[in-house]
Amino acid sequence: MSVLTSLLAASPGDPTNPGGGLGGATSTVTNTFTAPHVEYRALMPMLVVFGAATVGILIEAFLPRTRRYWPQVGVSLAGVVVAFCFVVANHGMAETTAADAVSVDGVTLFLQGTILLLALLALLLVAERGTGLVDLDAFTAQGATTPGSGGERAADAAGLRTTEVFPLMLFSVGGMLLFPAANDLLTSFVALEVLSLPLYLLCGLARRRRLLSQEAAMKYFLLGAFSSAFFLYGVALLYGYAGSVRLSDIATAITSSPHSDVLVLAGVALLAVGLLFKVGAVPFHAWTPDVYQGAPTPITAFMAAATKVAAFGALLRITYVALPGLRWDWRPVLWGVAILTMLVGAILAITQRDIKRMLAYSAILNAGYILLGVISTTSKGVSSTLFYLAAYGFATIGAFAVVTLVRESVRGGSDSGDGGEEDSVTVGGEATDLSAWAGLGRRSPLLAACFTVFMLAFAGIPLTSGFTGKFALFTAAIDGGAWPLVIVGVIASAAAAFFYVRVIVLMYFSEPLREQGAGPIVVVPSPMTTVALTVTVALTIALGVLPQMALDLADKAAYFVQ
Amino acid sequence: MESLIWLVPGLPLFGAAILLLGGKRTNAWGHLLGCLAALGSFALAAGLFFTMLGKHGAARSMHQHLYSWVPVPGTGQHPFQADVAFQLDQLSVVFILLITGVGSLIHIYSIGYMSHDPERRKFFSYLNLFLAAMLILVLADNYLLLYVGWEGVGLASYLLIGFWQAKPSAAAAAKKAFVVNRVGDVGLSIAIMLMFVTFGSFNFGTVFGTAGGASKGTLTAIGIMLLLAACGKSAQFPLQSWLGDAMEGPTPVSALIHAATMVTAGVYLIVRSHAIFDLSPTARLLVTIVGAITLLFGAIVGCAKDDIKKSLAGSTMSQIGYMILAAGLGPIGYAFAIMHLVTHGFFKAGLFLGAGSVMHGMDDEVNMRHYGGLRKYMPITFGTFFLGYLAIIGCPPFSGFYSKDKIIEAAFSKGGTSGWILGGAALLGALITAFYMTRMVIMTFFGEKRWVPDAEGHEPHPHESPLSMGLPMLLLAVGSVAAGFLFSMNSAFVNWLEPVTGPRAEGKLPGGLNSTTLSIITLAAVAVGVAIAVVKYGTGKVPAVAPRGSFITVAARKDLYGDAFNEAALMRPGQYLTRTLVYTDNRGVDGAINGLAALVGGTSGRLRRLQTGFVRSYALSMFGGAAALVAAILFAKL
Amino acid sequence: MNPDNYLFLSALLFTIGAFGVLIRRNAIVVFMCVELMLNAVNLTLVTFSRMHGDLTGQVIAFFTMVVAAAEVVVGLAIIVSVFRTRRSASVDDANLLKY
C-alpha cells in the first residue's frame, strides 16, 4: 500500500505537493484564472459540423414531418462540405488550441478530411430514398413503433420518414473529427462518447429486419458502454500516474521517471481496450459481425469506414504522442493483438454465408493490417496508416453501397393464392445471403464489376488502392523491424484472397438462383447512391494506379504537435 | 511540343476506351473516331519529328516524366522506382512515325474492308488499343513500361487474331499466338528481373550506363533472355509457329500487326538494348544464328504455301530474320536492321493490303491456285502489289534493294567463316525470296482464270476495291518505291540513328569482294530466283489442286514440321510432365494444401461457434481480453 | 486515512460492476452495472485529484457524470424498444445474430 503512495509521491506530475489539500488547490486556480485562448479557425470543421447538427435538431423541432427530408439532406451535406473546405484551408497548421485540449496538425487534418469525405459519401447512401418507382429508404418509418405492430403499418402507410438520422449522423461525425484531434484524455473520452452514442441509435433504426437491427443496437450499446468504462478507468490510472491527462504531460512523466510502474502500464492497457474495441481488434471484435449485419447498411458503411479512421487516429496520437517512452512495453502487446486480429479475421471470414458478416470480418482483418502501421512507430508507419485508412474507407463504403442495391424479390399478392403467381414482384430487403449473389455478373454486369473492384482492392491486387496501401504498410512494418508480423499479414492476405475471390467467382461463374422463378433484384438507385458508387470506384482505382499524390499528401501529413 | 509526347499513345488509348466503354452507342461513328485517333497520333508524331529536326545533338532526345508509380525510397540496396516516363529519341521517332503512319493507313483501309462486319466498332477499338500499346512499347524510357506495352500488344494481337472467334480455327490461332508469345514474355520478364538485380534499375539510361560494370555471364544471360523475348514477339525460330496461324485474323490485322509493326518489336528490343549486346559477343552470335535460320526457314515455308496470306506470313518471318541477323551483327548492322524494318513495313503492309483486296474481290478465297488472271480485273491492286513485289525481292531502285543489300553486305563483312556462312544464308534467302514472290504474283495476277464457284454455284466477280482501300495501298506503294532511296542518300538514315546505336563500324568485305560486286552477285541470285519461278509457273498450267510435290515441298507446306516438332518435343513431354505433376499435385501437394484448407475451414467452423450471439459471452471475451492485456503488459515488464 | 484505500475500494467496485455485466441477464441491470463501473472510476479520479492536489480529476468526474447521463438516455431508449418488441429485457433472448 505504501508502495503505491510513494510512487505517486515520486511521480513528476506532482513534485511538490504529495498530499496536497483540495482547498489550497482551489484557491490557486480561482486566483489565477485566465480565459483560455481559442483558435476558432482550427476548430471550425468541428464547429461547423456540430452547428449543422444543431440546425438539424431545430428542423426536426419546427418543420412538419413531411417537409423535413430535403432541408435535412441539404443542411447535412452543406455542413460536411463546408467543414471539409475548412480542413483544406487549415492545411499545414500545427498548433494546439482550446487550452491544449485539441491539437490540429497534419495527422488531424488528414484524418478529418478523410472522415468528412467518407461521411459525405455515407450521407449520400443514408439519404437514398430510391426513385419514384422503388422505395429504398433504409430506415424505419418511426423508430418508436414496435416491429410488426399496427403502429408500424400506420406509420408506413402515412409515409413517415426518420429524418432524425441526419443530425444523429452529424453529431457522430463531429465526435469523429474530435477523436483523432484530442490532445488530452478527457477530450478523447468525450469525443469517443459523442461519436458512439448516435451510432448506437442509428444501428437500431433499420427499416427491414428490425429485430436484428434492434438486437444489433443493444449489443453495440452494452458492449460499447462496457468498453468505454475500461477506457475511462485507463484515463483515471494515467491521471493518477502523471497528475495530468494532457498527452504531452504523460509523455514527460513517462520519460522523466526512471521506472514505469503498475499504474501507468495498467492504465495504458485499459486505454487500449477502449480503442481496440472501436477499431474492432481481436479479442474486442465480437460485436463487429453482429452489429455490421444488423445495422442498416448505409450506417454499417459509415461505421465501418469512418469510425475506423477516427479510432485509429486516436490510437496513433496516443501511442505516438503520449507513449513513445513506453514503446517497448506496448509494442509486444500490440504485436499479439495484431497477429490475432489478422488470423481471426481471415479465418472466420472464410465460412461466412452472409455478405455483410463477411465484410465485417474483412474489417477485422484490415484492422489487423492497420495495426502494423501503428506498431512500426516510424513516420513512415504513420503515413502508411493514413493512406491505408483512406483507401480502405472508400472501398468499404463502395462495397456496402453495392450491398444496398441487391434486393430480395417479394412476391406481391401472396394472399390471392395461385392466381397471383405471375403478377407484381416487389422489392424486399437486401439479399445479403451469398447464394443470392450467384450469377450477379450476368444480370447486372456493371454492379458486379464495381463489387469486383472493391473485392480486388480488399484482396490487395495491384492497380487497386488496396495493393498500394498494403505495400506501404508492410514496407513500413519491415522498416520498423516487425517482419514476423508482415509474414503473418501476407499469410492472412493469402487466406483472405480466397473469400474475396470466391465472391467474384460466385458472381461471374455461377448459375443464378432460379428455383422460385425470381432471384434477387438489382434495383436502380437514385443519383445519390450512383454518385457515391462512382466516386468510390474511381478513387479505389485511382489510388491504385496513380497513388503518388495521395502518398505524398500522407507523407506530408505525418507529423504531430505535442 | 515535348510535353505532348504522352498524347501519342494517349490518343489511341482514349479512342479505344471510348469505343469499348461506349458500346453500341458508338457504332455509327466508331470507325471514324478510331481513324481520327490514329491520324491525330500520326500528326503529333510528325510534329515531334520536325521538332526534333530543329534541334541538334543530344537535345534531340526528349523526355517526359508522367508520374512515378509506387516509388519506395531508401529500402534496401536498390530503391525501387517504377516510373511512367517516355523517351523520344531518334530510334523511337522512327518507330512512332512508322507505327502511326502505317497504322493510320490501315485504319482507313479497314473502314472499307470491315464495312460489312457488324462488329466493326469493336475491331477499331482493338486496333486503337494495339496502336496505344505499341507506342507505349517504343516510347517507354524503362524496361518495366516497355513490358507494359509488350504485354499490351500481345493482348491486342490475341483479340484481333481471334476477332472472328466464331471460327474455331481463329480461336485456336489466337490461343496459339498467345501461348507461344508467353514463352517469349517469360524471357523478357526474367531479363528485367536480372537487370534489376544487377543494376538496381529498369531505366534505359541507368542500365546502359552501368552495363560495363556487370559480369560477362550476367550480360550474356540478359542478352539471351532478351533474344528469347524477341523470338516470341517477332516469330523467330524456334518460336515462329504462331505467325502462320495468326493469318486467321482479318487481313488489315495481318498487315498492321503481323507484318509492319508488332512483329518488329523484337528487332526494336535488340537494337534498343544494343549496349548489352555490344558487351556480349556470345549473345550476339546467338542472335545472328537465330536470324539466319529464320530467314531461310521463312523463305522455304513461303515457297510452298498456297494460301496467299500464309505465304506472305512466311515471307514476313524471313524478312524479320534479316533484321534480326543485322541486329546481331552489332554496330555494323543496327542501323540497317532498322532501315530494313521501315522499308519492310511499307512494302509488306502494301502486299498484305493487296492480298486483302484480292480476297475482298474474290469472296474471301485465299488459295492462290484458285486465282489467276486477276491483273485485268483489279488494276490498282495489281499495280501496287507489283511495286511491293519489286521492293521485296530487292530490285533496284526500289526500297528493298537498299536495305537488304546492305544487310547481306554487313553479313559478309562480319569476317571469318561465320561471315561467309551468314552472308551465304542471306544471299540464298534473297534467291528464295525472289522465287516465292514471283510465284505468288504469277499465280495471282497472271495466267488463266482458275476461279472456283462457291458452294451455291456463284462464280466470283472480282472487282476493284473501294477508294478507302485503294488509297492506303497507293500510299504504301509510294513508300515501297521511294523509302530506300531516300534513306540511303548520303547515308541519311544511318547518320540519323547514330546517336542511339553508336557510331557505325565499317566492316571489311572478305575475299576480294567489294560492295559493287556483291550487289551484282545479289542481283544475279534474285534473277535466278525469278527465272526459276517464271519457268515453273509462268509457262505451264498451274494445277488447281496442289501436286504432291517433293519432300521439301511437303515439309514446307507443314511449316517444316514446326508444329510437329513443337508437338513432339514440347507438347507431348509437356503434357506428360503436366500429367505427372497433376498426379503428384493431387496426391502430394494438394493433399497438403487441401489438408491445410480443411484445417483452416475446420478452425473457422469451430471458431465461428464462439460467436454465440450472446452479449454476455462477448463481454466475457472482452473482459478476458482486457485482463490478458493488462497481465501481458505487466508481466512483460516485471 | 490512507488515500490508497479509496483506490482499492474503487478497483473493487469496478470489478463488481464488470462481473455484474458478465453475469446479470436483465439488460437494465447490465446497464446499471456499467454505470457502477463508471462511478467506480469517478471515485478513483476524485481520489487521485485529492492526492495530486489538483482539480482535473474532479472536473473529469463531472464530465463522466454528464456522459453517463447521456448514455442512460440512449441506452434506455434502445433497451425499452427492444423490450417492447420482445416483451423481455433479457440480453440472452436477443440472440438472432450469431456465428
Side-chain angles (χ1 to χ4, degrees), chain A residues 1 5 8 18 20 22 144 147 193 214-215 219 221 232 239-240 290 357, chain C residues 4-5 31 50-52 54 57-58 64 71 75 84-85 96-99:
Chain A
M1 193 168 288
T5 325
L8 276 173
L22 189 58
E193 290 298 323
Q214 290 185 344
E215 181 182 329
K219 284 179 173 171
F221 167 72
L232 190 65
Y239 167 66
D290 290 7
R357 265 185 111 72
Chain C
D4 282 1
N5 290 336
F31 184 47
R50 171 91 188 170
M51 286 160 79
H52 286 308
D54 108 329
Q58 302 194 15
T64 312
E71 226 166 45
R84 293 203 335 203
T85 309
L96 289 170
L97 293 159
K98 56 189 166 190
Y99 306 133

mmCIF file of all heavy atoms in Angstrom, chain A residues 1 5 8 18 20 22 144 147 193 214-215 219 221 232 239-240 290 357, chain C residues 4-5 31 50-52 54 57-58 64 71 75 84-85 96-99:
data_model
loop_
_atom_site.group_PDB
_atom_site.id
_atom_site.type_symbol
_atom_site.label_atom_id
_atom_site.label_comp_id
_atom_site.label_asym_id
_atom_site.label_seq_id
_atom_site.Cartn_x
_atom_site.Cartn_y
_atom_site.Cartn_z
ATOM 1 N N MET A 1 0.822 -1.194 0.000
ATOM 2 C CA MET A 1 0.000 0.000 0.000
ATOM 3 C C MET A 1 0.864 1.255 0.000
ATOM 4 O O MET A 1 0.679 2.176 -0.786
ATOM 5 C CB MET A 1 -0.893 -0.017 1.242
ATOM 6 C CG MET A 1 -1.991 1.003 1.191
ATOM 7 S SD MET A 1 -3.186 0.719 2.484
ATOM 8 C CE MET A 1 -4.032 -0.732 1.936
ATOM 9 N N THR A 5 1.706 4.776 -2.711
ATOM 10 C CA THR A 5 1.751 6.179 -2.323
ATOM 11 C C THR A 5 3.109 6.796 -2.621
ATOM 12 O O THR A 5 3.201 7.900 -3.162
ATOM 13 C CB THR A 5 1.468 6.315 -0.818
ATOM 14 O OG1 THR A 5 0.520 5.336 -0.456
ATOM 15 C CG2 THR A 5 0.961 7.695 -0.508
ATOM 16 N N LEU A 8 3.483 7.441 -6.152
ATOM 17 C CA LEU A 8 2.730 8.616 -6.534
ATOM 18 C C LEU A 8 3.479 9.875 -6.150
ATOM 19 O O LEU A 8 3.548 10.837 -6.900
ATOM 20 C CB LEU A 8 1.373 8.611 -5.826
ATOM 21 C CG LEU A 8 0.291 7.803 -6.510
ATOM 22 C CD1 LEU A 8 -0.927 7.737 -5.642
ATOM 23 C CD2 LEU A 8 -0.026 8.439 -7.840
ATOM 24 N N PRO A 18 2.687 16.297 -2.336
ATOM 25 C CA PRO A 18 2.236 14.926 -2.404
ATOM 26 C C PRO A 18 0.832 14.736 -1.827
ATOM 27 O O PRO A 18 0.021 14.065 -2.431
ATOM 28 C CB PRO A 18 3.266 14.148 -1.600
ATOM 29 C CG PRO A 18 4.146 15.139 -0.953
ATOM 30 C CD PRO A 18 3.929 16.462 -1.565
ATOM 31 N N GLY A 20 -1.443 17.092 -1.061
ATOM 32 C CA GLY A 20 -1.977 18.448 -1.041
ATOM 33 C C GLY A 20 -3.465 18.532 -0.785
ATOM 34 O O GLY A 20 -4.236 17.690 -1.219
ATOM 35 N N LEU A 22 -7.287 19.945 -0.925
ATOM 36 C CA LEU A 22 -8.143 20.384 -2.010
ATOM 37 C C LEU A 22 -8.332 21.900 -1.973
ATOM 38 O O LEU A 22 -8.301 22.580 -2.992
ATOM 39 C CB LEU A 22 -9.484 19.669 -1.903
ATOM 40 C CG LEU A 22 -10.431 19.853 -3.073
ATOM 41 C CD1 LEU A 22 -9.768 19.393 -4.337
ATOM 42 C CD2 LEU A 22 -11.702 19.081 -2.804
ATOM 43 N N ALA A 144 -39.956 4.497 -32.868
ATOM 44 C CA ALA A 144 -40.614 4.152 -31.614
ATOM 45 C C ALA A 144 -41.650 3.054 -31.768
ATOM 46 O O ALA A 144 -42.044 2.438 -30.779
ATOM 47 C CB ALA A 144 -41.279 5.403 -31.021
ATOM 48 N N PRO A 147 -41.925 -3.399 -33.999
ATOM 49 C CA PRO A 147 -41.932 -4.126 -35.280
ATOM 50 C C PRO A 147 -43.169 -4.998 -35.397
ATOM 51 O O PRO A 147 -43.529 -5.691 -34.456
ATOM 52 C CB PRO A 147 -40.658 -4.963 -35.217
ATOM 53 C CG PRO A 147 -39.786 -4.271 -34.231
ATOM 54 C CD PRO A 147 -40.682 -3.580 -33.267
ATOM 55 N N GLU A 193 -17.428 9.196 -26.732
ATOM 56 C CA GLU A 193 -18.849 9.037 -26.430
ATOM 57 C C GLU A 193 -19.701 9.767 -27.443
ATOM 58 O O GLU A 193 -20.739 9.268 -27.875
ATOM 59 C CB GLU A 193 -19.136 9.543 -25.018
ATOM 60 C CG GLU A 193 -18.549 8.660 -23.924
ATOM 61 C CD GLU A 193 -19.125 7.250 -23.948
ATOM 62 O OE1 GLU A 193 -20.319 7.106 -24.234
ATOM 63 O OE2 GLU A 193 -18.365 6.302 -23.694
ATOM 64 N N GLN A 214 -32.558 -3.996 -33.929
ATOM 65 C CA GLN A 214 -32.617 -3.609 -32.515
ATOM 66 C C GLN A 214 -31.635 -4.413 -31.686
ATOM 67 O O GLN A 214 -30.989 -3.891 -30.775
ATOM 68 C CB GLN A 214 -34.036 -3.814 -31.995
ATOM 69 C CG GLN A 214 -35.004 -2.797 -32.586
ATOM 70 C CD GLN A 214 -36.384 -2.919 -31.994
ATOM 71 O OE1 GLN A 214 -36.697 -3.928 -31.367
ATOM 72 N NE2 GLN A 214 -37.201 -1.900 -32.192
ATOM 73 N N GLU A 215 -31.524 -5.691 -32.049
ATOM 74 C CA GLU A 215 -30.574 -6.529 -31.317
ATOM 75 C C GLU A 215 -29.159 -5.993 -31.500
ATOM 76 O O GLU A 215 -28.371 -5.900 -30.545
ATOM 77 C CB GLU A 215 -30.671 -7.962 -31.826
ATOM 78 C CG GLU A 215 -29.729 -8.892 -31.092
ATOM 79 C CD GLU A 215 -29.801 -10.306 -31.647
ATOM 80 O OE1 GLU A 215 -30.879 -10.707 -32.108
ATOM 81 O OE2 GLU A 215 -28.762 -10.981 -31.608
ATOM 82 N N LYS A 219 -26.682 -4.770 -28.527
ATOM 83 C CA LYS A 219 -25.357 -5.366 -28.322
ATOM 84 C C LYS A 219 -24.276 -4.307 -28.419
ATOM 85 O O LYS A 219 -23.368 -4.234 -27.592
ATOM 86 C CB LYS A 219 -25.104 -6.445 -29.380
ATOM 87 C CG LYS A 219 -25.841 -7.739 -29.117
ATOM 88 C CD LYS A 219 -25.559 -8.748 -30.206
ATOM 89 C CE LYS A 219 -26.160 -10.087 -29.839
ATOM 90 N NZ LYS A 219 -26.099 -11.047 -30.935
ATOM 91 N N PHE A 221 -24.548 -1.163 -28.000
ATOM 92 C CA PHE A 221 -24.607 -0.213 -26.893
ATOM 93 C C PHE A 221 -23.992 -0.808 -25.625
ATOM 94 O O PHE A 221 -23.140 -0.187 -24.983
ATOM 95 C CB PHE A 221 -26.055 0.198 -26.625
ATOM 96 C CG PHE A 221 -26.200 0.910 -25.330
ATOM 97 C CD1 PHE A 221 -25.713 2.199 -25.179
ATOM 98 C CD2 PHE A 221 -26.790 0.293 -24.237
ATOM 99 C CE1 PHE A 221 -25.815 2.855 -23.980
ATOM 100 C CE2 PHE A 221 -26.888 0.942 -23.023
ATOM 101 C CZ PHE A 221 -26.396 2.221 -22.895
ATOM 102 N N LEU A 232 -12.213 4.676 -19.602
ATOM 103 C CA LEU A 232 -12.216 5.727 -18.584
ATOM 104 C C LEU A 232 -11.331 5.330 -17.400
ATOM 105 O O LEU A 232 -10.625 6.165 -16.827
ATOM 106 C CB LEU A 232 -13.648 5.985 -18.128
ATOM 107 C CG LEU A 232 -13.809 7.217 -17.252
ATOM 108 C CD1 LEU A 232 -13.476 8.470 -18.033
ATOM 109 C CD2 LEU A 232 -15.233 7.313 -16.723
ATOM 110 N N TYR A 239 -4.046 9.406 -15.211
ATOM 111 C CA TYR A 239 -4.101 10.677 -14.496
ATOM 112 C C TYR A 239 -3.428 10.526 -13.133
ATOM 113 O O TYR A 239 -2.660 11.387 -12.701
ATOM 114 C CB TYR A 239 -5.555 11.116 -14.343
ATOM 115 C CG TYR A 239 -5.734 12.242 -13.362
ATOM 116 C CD1 TYR A 239 -5.203 13.498 -13.628
ATOM 117 C CD2 TYR A 239 -6.431 12.051 -12.160
ATOM 118 C CE1 TYR A 239 -5.354 14.536 -12.733
ATOM 119 C CE2 TYR A 239 -6.585 13.081 -11.256
ATOM 120 C CZ TYR A 239 -6.045 14.326 -11.545
ATOM 121 O OH TYR A 239 -6.176 15.338 -10.655
ATOM 122 N N GLY A 240 -3.716 9.410 -12.500
ATOM 123 C CA GLY A 240 -3.098 9.177 -11.207
ATOM 124 C C GLY A 240 -1.586 9.114 -11.322
ATOM 125 O O GLY A 240 -0.855 9.600 -10.454
ATOM 126 N N ASP A 290 -21.883 -8.971 -35.645
ATOM 127 C CA ASP A 290 -23.306 -8.875 -35.326
ATOM 128 C C ASP A 290 -23.852 -7.495 -35.646
ATOM 129 O O ASP A 290 -24.922 -7.345 -36.238
ATOM 130 C CB ASP A 290 -23.521 -9.180 -33.832
ATOM 131 C CG ASP A 290 -23.288 -10.643 -33.523
ATOM 132 O OD1 ASP A 290 -22.834 -11.349 -34.447
ATOM 133 O OD2 ASP A 290 -23.539 -11.072 -32.391
ATOM 134 N N ARG A 357 -21.730 -9.929 -43.022
ATOM 135 C CA ARG A 357 -20.869 -10.526 -41.998
ATOM 136 C C ARG A 357 -19.467 -10.735 -42.545
ATOM 137 O O ARG A 357 -18.466 -10.533 -41.866
ATOM 138 C CB ARG A 357 -21.451 -11.874 -41.560
ATOM 139 C CG ARG A 357 -22.305 -11.797 -40.332
ATOM 140 C CD ARG A 357 -22.732 -13.182 -39.901
ATOM 141 N NE ARG A 357 -22.108 -13.585 -38.641
ATOM 142 C CZ ARG A 357 -22.443 -13.070 -37.471
ATOM 143 N NH1 ARG A 357 -23.354 -12.132 -37.402
ATOM 144 N NH2 ARG A 357 -21.869 -13.486 -36.361
ATOM 145 N N ASP C 4 -4.831 5.433 -0.520
ATOM 146 C CA ASP C 4 -4.771 4.194 -1.303
ATOM 147 C C ASP C 4 -6.029 3.356 -1.117
ATOM 148 O O ASP C 4 -6.471 2.674 -2.046
ATOM 149 C CB ASP C 4 -3.551 3.361 -0.888
ATOM 150 C CG ASP C 4 -2.290 3.926 -1.505
ATOM 151 O OD1 ASP C 4 -2.412 4.947 -2.215
ATOM 152 O OD2 ASP C 4 -1.216 3.374 -1.268
ATOM 153 N N ASN C 5 -6.574 3.415 0.101
ATOM 154 C CA ASN C 5 -7.747 2.598 0.361
ATOM 155 C C ASN C 5 -8.890 2.940 -0.579
ATOM 156 O O ASN C 5 -9.633 2.069 -1.027
ATOM 157 C CB ASN C 5 -8.194 2.778 1.811
ATOM 158 C CG ASN C 5 -7.189 2.148 2.728
ATOM 159 O OD1 ASN C 5 -6.455 1.257 2.316
ATOM 160 N ND2 ASN C 5 -7.117 2.629 3.958
ATOM 161 N N PHE C 31 -26.857 -2.691 -17.642
ATOM 162 C CA PHE C 31 -26.519 -1.303 -17.865
ATOM 163 C C PHE C 31 -26.182 -0.599 -16.554
ATOM 164 O O PHE C 31 -25.241 0.199 -16.475
ATOM 165 C CB PHE C 31 -27.682 -0.617 -18.578
ATOM 166 C CG PHE C 31 -27.391 0.774 -18.937
ATOM 167 C CD1 PHE C 31 -26.193 1.114 -19.543
ATOM 168 C CD2 PHE C 31 -28.288 1.783 -18.658
ATOM 169 C CE1 PHE C 31 -25.907 2.412 -19.866
ATOM 170 C CE2 PHE C 31 -27.996 3.078 -18.982
ATOM 171 C CZ PHE C 31 -26.805 3.396 -19.580
ATOM 172 N N ARG C 50 -7.391 14.400 -5.218
ATOM 173 C CA ARG C 50 -7.042 14.756 -3.847
ATOM 174 C C ARG C 50 -5.543 14.523 -3.621
ATOM 175 O O ARG C 50 -4.840 15.345 -3.051
ATOM 176 C CB ARG C 50 -7.876 13.883 -2.912
ATOM 177 C CG ARG C 50 -7.498 13.950 -1.476
ATOM 178 C CD ARG C 50 -8.303 15.025 -0.796
ATOM 179 N NE ARG C 50 -7.826 15.228 0.540
ATOM 180 C CZ ARG C 50 -8.200 16.232 1.308
ATOM 181 N NH1 ARG C 50 -9.063 17.124 0.841
ATOM 182 N NH2 ARG C 50 -7.751 16.345 2.534
ATOM 183 N N MET C 51 -5.059 13.367 -4.096
ATOM 184 C CA MET C 51 -3.651 13.042 -3.863
ATOM 185 C C MET C 51 -2.726 14.016 -4.570
ATOM 186 O O MET C 51 -1.689 14.402 -4.062
ATOM 187 C CB MET C 51 -3.353 11.613 -4.339
ATOM 188 C CG MET C 51 -3.929 10.547 -3.403
ATOM 189 S SD MET C 51 -4.098 8.959 -4.216
ATOM 190 C CE MET C 51 -2.442 8.387 -4.155
ATOM 191 N N HIS C 52 -3.115 14.388 -5.809
ATOM 192 C CA HIS C 52 -2.253 15.307 -6.551
ATOM 193 C C HIS C 52 -2.487 16.740 -6.153
ATOM 194 O O HIS C 52 -1.688 17.612 -6.522
ATOM 195 C CB HIS C 52 -2.536 15.192 -8.054
ATOM 196 C CG HIS C 52 -1.995 13.936 -8.654
ATOM 197 N ND1 HIS C 52 -0.701 13.542 -8.504
ATOM 198 C CD2 HIS C 52 -2.592 12.990 -9.404
ATOM 199 C CE1 HIS C 52 -0.521 12.404 -9.122
ATOM 200 N NE2 HIS C 52 -1.659 12.042 -9.676
ATOM 201 N N ASP C 54 -4.811 18.591 -7.378
ATOM 202 C CA ASP C 54 -5.233 19.444 -8.493
ATOM 203 C C ASP C 54 -6.625 19.029 -8.927
ATOM 204 O O ASP C 54 -7.093 17.935 -8.597
ATOM 205 C CB ASP C 54 -4.145 19.430 -9.574
ATOM 206 C CG ASP C 54 -4.471 18.680 -10.825
ATOM 207 O OD1 ASP C 54 -5.246 17.672 -10.751
ATOM 208 O OD2 ASP C 54 -3.939 19.053 -11.866
ATOM 209 N N GLY C 57 -9.007 15.921 -11.844
ATOM 210 C CA GLY C 57 -9.733 14.683 -11.588
ATOM 211 C C GLY C 57 -11.185 14.942 -11.270
ATOM 212 O O GLY C 57 -12.079 14.246 -11.768
ATOM 213 N N GLN C 58 -11.422 15.971 -10.486
ATOM 214 C CA GLN C 58 -12.807 16.255 -10.126
ATOM 215 C C GLN C 58 -13.588 16.742 -11.337
ATOM 216 O O GLN C 58 -14.754 16.387 -11.528
ATOM 217 C CB GLN C 58 -12.836 17.294 -9.023
ATOM 218 C CG GLN C 58 -12.054 16.816 -7.824
ATOM 219 C CD GLN C 58 -12.325 17.643 -6.598
ATOM 220 O OE1 GLN C 58 -13.273 18.402 -6.542
ATOM 221 N NE2 GLN C 58 -11.483 17.481 -5.603
ATOM 222 N N THR C 64 -17.744 12.852 -16.578
ATOM 223 C CA THR C 64 -18.188 11.465 -16.626
ATOM 224 C C THR C 64 -19.662 11.357 -16.292
ATOM 225 O O THR C 64 -20.413 10.609 -16.934
ATOM 226 C CB THR C 64 -17.370 10.629 -15.635
ATOM 227 O OG1 THR C 64 -16.003 10.916 -15.818
ATOM 228 C CG2 THR C 64 -17.628 9.159 -15.845
ATOM 229 N N GLU C 71 -25.582 8.645 -21.799
ATOM 230 C CA GLU C 71 -25.590 7.224 -22.112
ATOM 231 C C GLU C 71 -26.907 6.596 -21.647
ATOM 232 O O GLU C 71 -27.472 5.741 -22.320
ATOM 233 C CB GLU C 71 -24.420 6.550 -21.413
ATOM 234 C CG GLU C 71 -23.648 5.619 -22.312
ATOM 235 C CD GLU C 71 -22.320 5.233 -21.694
ATOM 236 O OE1 GLU C 71 -22.308 4.913 -20.492
ATOM 237 O OE2 GLU C 71 -21.306 5.245 -22.410
ATOM 238 N N GLY C 75 -29.242 4.568 -23.963
ATOM 239 C CA GLY C 75 -29.340 3.157 -23.582
ATOM 240 C C GLY C 75 -30.768 2.769 -23.258
ATOM 241 O O GLY C 75 -31.276 1.761 -23.755
ATOM 242 N N ARG C 84 -40.105 -3.659 -25.774
ATOM 243 C CA ARG C 84 -41.463 -3.616 -26.330
ATOM 244 C C ARG C 84 -41.605 -4.589 -27.487
ATOM 245 O O ARG C 84 -42.672 -5.147 -27.714
ATOM 246 C CB ARG C 84 -41.777 -2.203 -26.801
ATOM 247 C CG ARG C 84 -41.866 -1.270 -25.608
ATOM 248 C CD ARG C 84 -42.672 -0.036 -25.886
ATOM 249 N NE ARG C 84 -42.747 0.358 -27.277
ATOM 250 C CZ ARG C 84 -43.017 1.594 -27.651
ATOM 251 N NH1 ARG C 84 -43.209 2.529 -26.748
ATOM 252 N NH2 ARG C 84 -43.104 1.894 -28.912
ATOM 253 N N THR C 85 -40.571 -4.807 -28.194
ATOM 254 C CA THR C 85 -40.648 -5.753 -29.303
ATOM 255 C C THR C 85 -40.710 -7.184 -28.806
ATOM 256 O O THR C 85 -41.517 -7.987 -29.261
ATOM 257 C CB THR C 85 -39.421 -5.598 -30.205
ATOM 258 O OG1 THR C 85 -39.273 -4.250 -30.543
ATOM 259 C CG2 THR C 85 -39.564 -6.442 -31.447
ATOM 260 N N LEU C 96 -30.324 -13.487 -32.201
ATOM 261 C CA LEU C 96 -30.543 -13.878 -33.593
ATOM 262 C C LEU C 96 -29.259 -13.749 -34.411
ATOM 263 O O LEU C 96 -29.041 -14.498 -35.365
ATOM 264 C CB LEU C 96 -31.610 -12.986 -34.215
ATOM 265 C CG LEU C 96 -33.030 -13.229 -33.718
ATOM 266 C CD1 LEU C 96 -33.942 -12.136 -34.214
ATOM 267 C CD2 LEU C 96 -33.525 -14.583 -34.189
ATOM 268 N N LEU C 97 -28.457 -12.773 -34.061
ATOM 269 C CA LEU C 97 -27.231 -12.535 -34.820
ATOM 270 C C LEU C 97 -26.122 -13.351 -34.200
ATOM 271 O O LEU C 97 -25.695 -13.080 -33.074
ATOM 272 C CB LEU C 97 -26.876 -11.052 -34.761
ATOM 273 C CG LEU C 97 -27.838 -10.098 -35.461
ATOM 274 C CD1 LEU C 97 -27.665 -8.709 -34.919
ATOM 275 C CD2 LEU C 97 -27.603 -10.128 -36.942
ATOM 276 N N LYS C 98 -25.665 -14.338 -34.903
ATOM 277 C CA LYS C 98 -24.564 -15.126 -34.344
ATOM 278 C C LYS C 98 -23.798 -15.833 -35.457
ATOM 279 O O LYS C 98 -24.197 -15.802 -36.614
ATOM 280 C CB LYS C 98 -25.078 -16.121 -33.326
ATOM 281 C CG LYS C 98 -26.143 -17.058 -33.850
ATOM 282 C CD LYS C 98 -26.725 -17.844 -32.709
ATOM 283 C CE LYS C 98 -28.019 -18.540 -33.123
ATOM 284 N NZ LYS C 98 -28.709 -19.111 -31.995
ATOM 285 N N TYR C 99 -22.782 -16.531 -35.048
ATOM 286 C CA TYR C 99 -21.880 -17.297 -35.922
ATOM 287 C C TYR C 99 -21.287 -16.430 -37.009
ATOM 288 O O TYR C 99 -21.556 -16.544 -38.161
ATOM 289 C CB TYR C 99 -22.564 -18.531 -36.489
ATOM 290 C CG TYR C 99 -23.155 -19.392 -35.406
ATOM 291 C CD1 TYR C 99 -24.439 -19.877 -35.493
ATOM 292 C CD2 TYR C 99 -22.392 -19.683 -34.264
ATOM 293 C CE1 TYR C 99 -24.966 -20.654 -34.478
ATOM 294 C CE2 TYR C 99 -22.919 -20.453 -33.237
ATOM 295 C CZ TYR C 99 -24.200 -20.937 -33.348
ATOM 296 O OH TYR C 99 -24.698 -21.684 -32.350
#
